[in-house]
Each structure stands twice: as structure tokens, then as C-alpha cells.
Amino acid sequence: MQVAATESSATATGTRAHGRAAMVPVLWAALVYVVVSAAVLIISWRTSDHHFIYALDDTYIGMAMAKNLALHGVWGVSPYGFSSSDSSLLFPLLMAAGFRVVGVRVGVPLVLSWVAGLLSIFAAGRIVARYLERKWQAGALILFVLFTPLFVAGTIGMEHSLHLLLTLMFLGFFLRGDDADARPVNLWAMGAVAALMVAARYEGLFFVAPAFCVLAFQRRWKAACAVAVGAAVPVCAYAAFSMAHGAYWLPNSVALKGVSGDHPGLAQAWANLAGRVKDNFQDGPQVFLLMAAAAAALIGLGRRNRRASIPLALLLAAGCLQVSLAQVGMYYRYDAYLFGAGTLVLACTLPAVKKAAGKTMFAASYFLTLGTVVALTVVSIAQFHMLPRIARNIYLRQWQMGRFVGEYYPGATVAANDIGAVNYLSHSHCYDLVGLANQEIFWARRSGGYTTDFLRDDAAAHHVQIAIAYDRWFGDPPGVPVGGPPLPSNWIRVAHWQIDDPTIIGDTVVSFYAVDPAEAALLRADLEQFEKTVPGPVRLELP
């Protein structure tokens, strides 16, 4: 009995030691994530005059919605009514829960997104442990951190790191080692992960669709149904909720930024699709390089290793759907889940490709993967350099806009084309010139009726008092895809801020308009008073 007890104790000790050793690659990657994230945040804080500022105004849209949900029970950017303004269904709920617990604090989104990024490293660690030798695991995980780039997704305070985590959990059902193939998949877990992944971002459907096809082809009907039903639940639930409030079945941001459905006819649909792919190639060629590497690896495997082929097929299909129906680029937040998943899938399947493929196909796969590594390294370095600069620009523009509205027009109806910080820092009535939070403008954009005359009449009907706009965004044609028609001539341009760095909006001017002529003199006086508190690079210029 004593010998048995000693052997049992030794086995337990060995298991714990093995478990600690298995965690070493994950901890190295986590350390890189901590150091790079901390560096980005500290530099951003210093360049923003010691203010903590997120590098996207979109973050503040989600924060405004979470604030109103937590304090007023309203799903909208203002406390006065519903608006379908956020691309994510899940992340605003998590932020609202955090605001209920600790109060409306600016750090809540950071904690949520950064922790989700950290957890994605642990999820990635479990995957690579099934495929790679210990000596290669740390390198693969560090590349995963840098190439996603995880320090961007984790620090911008949005849902992208959470979406990545759930994508890895979903892929985990297909990236299973040989020793796990005999174990049945938990269908409830698969359906739940599919539901949460789609609720985090609708791009989750880009992995769900090919996964359903694969499972159906394998005649795994229960698993296919679990995935389909799980993904359908958040989409259908939000569609019913949104349409009950007179809005579109998709969030406005998804509908406006995705492929256009305004023009009927097959020819026009193909033209729209081709235009989207062309724009995405210009904005994010790295995605296409990643897809080429996945395609070469998939061809190299052929039918020799179907288990390794499935994750590659899912990645390739998801990438094709992303570049055809959605956006890439924009600080690589839209495609972060593809870069993260692609890094892991290629790292885990290349050993199988080497064994199964001929020399030519393996060489093609290897060099395309190497090219992807080089491209993503450039992206990672560029993002590390740019994030603090972007945060400073948000501080000089959108944050100051929000401060101004919160101090001088807290309950007014204010038109703006960047609505995040303006609504987070105030309780104003939001008139969104883009259409994310204004359903009338949204429908006008969808129908092609968003004109200057429409804007003049609709703004008057909503009793808009002032407008804060980037002039370059409005014209015929507008300077950006999300812009609008020329602003009405009866709007009085009272003054503008001159900010010499055009990063973020592609312009150096923020203009202030009196939509109601009676507001012109008061708006000018308010801007002159507020000028005393703005940072030095923001210069008020009067006509």
C-alpha cells in the first residue's frame, strides 16, 4: 500500500510538472502581449496630454450605447430612443454589465477587450499543443500575438478580440489532434460557441456557413444543425427586436458598410461584388496573400489528409466571404480574426502539407506563407507606430467635440458625422449625418434618396440646432464612402477648428454650423469661450 501511494504521488507530481511545462509557450506569448500592449497604452497616454483615449471613435459609439443601456434601459447612442448603431450585439451587453457593476468608467471596454485577447492566447495554446512540438509552440504563439495584431484588437476597447477568441473556440472543434478524433463533439457547446461568435460580430457567419457545408457533406447532421441553429438565434432575435422598433433587420453599421443591396439586378450585384473585392484588395492585400497561402496548402494536401484540410478550407472560405461582402483594413480590426485564425491554421497544418504534398506544391505553400509572414510583420510594426498617433488625433478631434457638446449643448439636438465621443460625453439628441443612429437617413441612403434637399428638410423636422461636420465628407461626390451630399446652403458655417494632422479623417478641418440661424451668434460665442480649454494644436478659425 505504501508503494502504491508513493507511485500515485509520483505520477501526480509528474502530471503537474508536465502541465507547468506545457504552459511555458503560452506564458511567453502572454508576456509579449503584456509588454507590447503596455507600451502602446503608455505612449498613447503621453501623446494625448496624459488622457486615456481609445484609438477609434467607434469605441465610444459602443460605450454610449452601453451607458444608455445600463442607466436608462435604452439600446441606443442617446437615452431618448432606440438606434441600431453598433456592429456587435454581445459586446455592448458586456460593457453595460460592467457599467452596472463599477459605474460608467472609461476603462471598462479596455479590460473586456484586453482580457479577451489574453484568453485567446490560451485558446491558441491549446490548439498548437495538439499539432506542434514544444520547441515550436512558443514561436507560433508569439507570431499569433504579433500578426493578429492582438495588441491592436486588445487595446481599442471593441469586440474584435472577443470575436477572435470565439472564432478560435469554434475552430477548436475542427482543429482536433489525432488523439481527440474519437471523442464525440459536444453539440450544445458547438451551438453555443457559434451563437456567441455571431453575436460578437456578424462576420462569425463567414466561418459558420462553410462549417455547416462541411458537416453536411460529412453527413454529421446533428452537428450541422447545432451550428446553423446556434448562428441563427442571435441574428433572428436581433432582427425581430430591431424591426419592432422600425429599423432594419441588420445593425445599421453592418448594412451600410457591407456590400450594397440598393441596386436590383444580377449585373449590378456582380458589379457591386467586384467593386468590393477591388477596394478590399487595395486596402488589405495581406488578406489575399493569406488566402493564397491557405489555398496552396489545401491543394498540396489534396485528399491525403482530410482532417488537416478542413481548417484550411474553412479559413479560405471565410476569407473569400470577408473580401466579397464586408471590409478589410481600417487598422486591420475587421480582419484580425482572419489573421489570428490563419496564423494558427497554417502553423498547425504545414507539417502535414510537408508530408503529403509534392515538392512543388510544398514550396509554393511555404513561400506564400513566408510572404504572408513578411507582410504581417510590416503591418504589426506599422500598427505599433500608428496607434498612439491615432489616439492623439481622436483626443484632438472627437474628444474635444464631445467635450464641447457636453458642456454647451448637453440636451440639444446636434448633427454630427462622428457620433461616438459626442454622445458618450453628453446627453444630446443625436442626429447622425452618416445614418448609424438616424433611421431616416439610413433609409434614404439605402434607397438612393440621401440628397441635400432631404437633409435640409429632415434636419429642420428634427429641430437640429447645430452641426459638427468634416467638410470633406460631404460633396458631390463625397470624399469618403460613408459621406453624404453637399450640406444645405442655409446652414451657417460659423467657425472651424484647424488641426494640421489629417490622420483618421483625411482632413485637417472640423466645421461648426448653425443649422438654426438663431444659434449662429451663440455658437460663435461658445466656441470662443471653449477655445481657452482646448489643446494647443486645435486652432479656432473664424470667417
Side-chain angles (χ1 to χ4, degrees), residues 185-200:
V185 173
N186 186 323
L187 299 183
W188 287 102
M190 180 179 276
V193 170
L196 291 172
M197 180 174 65
V198 174

Side-chain angles (χ1 to χ4, degrees), residues 10-36:
T11 300
T13 302
T15 301
R16 287 195 297 270
H18 177 76
R20 287 195 295 269
M23 287 297 295
V24 170
V26 173
L27 294 177
W28 275 113
L31 178 62
V32 172
Y33 179 51
V34 169
V35 171
V36 179

Side-chain angles (χ1 to χ4, degrees), residues 230-398:
V233 166
V235 175
C236 294
Y238 185 79
F241 176 64
S242 181
M243 293 173 70
H245 287 84
Y248 194 55
W249 68 275
L250 285 172
N252 288 1
S253 55
V254 175
L256 291 176
K257 295 177 182 178
V259 68
S260 175
D262 299 345
H263 306 283
L266 185 60
Q268 186 61 54
W270 279 109
N272 290 343
L273 194 66
R276 171 69 64 175
V277 173
K278 178 184 175 181
D279 291 342
N280 282 332
F281 181 77
Q282 294 173 344
D283 294 338
Q286 298 85 359
V287 179
F288 292 82
L289 194 55
L290 175 66
M291 291 163 55
L298 184 61
I299 294 171
L301 281 176
R303 297 182 179 181
R304 297 179 184 89
N305 190 333
R306 290 186 176 181
R307 180 180 61 82
S309 297
I310 290 174
L312 286 168
L314 297 181
L315 175 66
L316 184 59
C320 290
L321 291 170
Q322 179 75 35
V323 299
S324 301
L325 303 176
Q327 283 184 304
V328 300
M330 190 61 177
Y331 321 124
Y332 304 98
R333 57 189 178 113
Y334 296 128
D335 32 27
Y337 78 106
L338 287 176
F339 292 148
T343 301
L344 291 186
V345 169
L346 288 173
C348 292
T349 56
L350 276 180
V353 175
K354 185 177 182 181
K355 292 180 182 179
K359 291 183 178 180
T360 301
M361 282 311 304
F362 176 72
S365 177
Y366 177 81
F367 284 109
L368 283 169
T369 300
L370 187 61
T372 305
V373 167
V374 172
L376 294 183
T377 299
V378 172
V379 167
S380 184
I381 295 171
Q383 292 306 296
F384 180 83
H385 172 73
M386 286 296 295
L387 274 179
R389 181 177 175 183
I390 296 168
R392 175 170 174 76
N393 275 267
I394 295 293
Y395 170 65
L396 294 178
R397 288 183 176 84
Q398 290 90 338

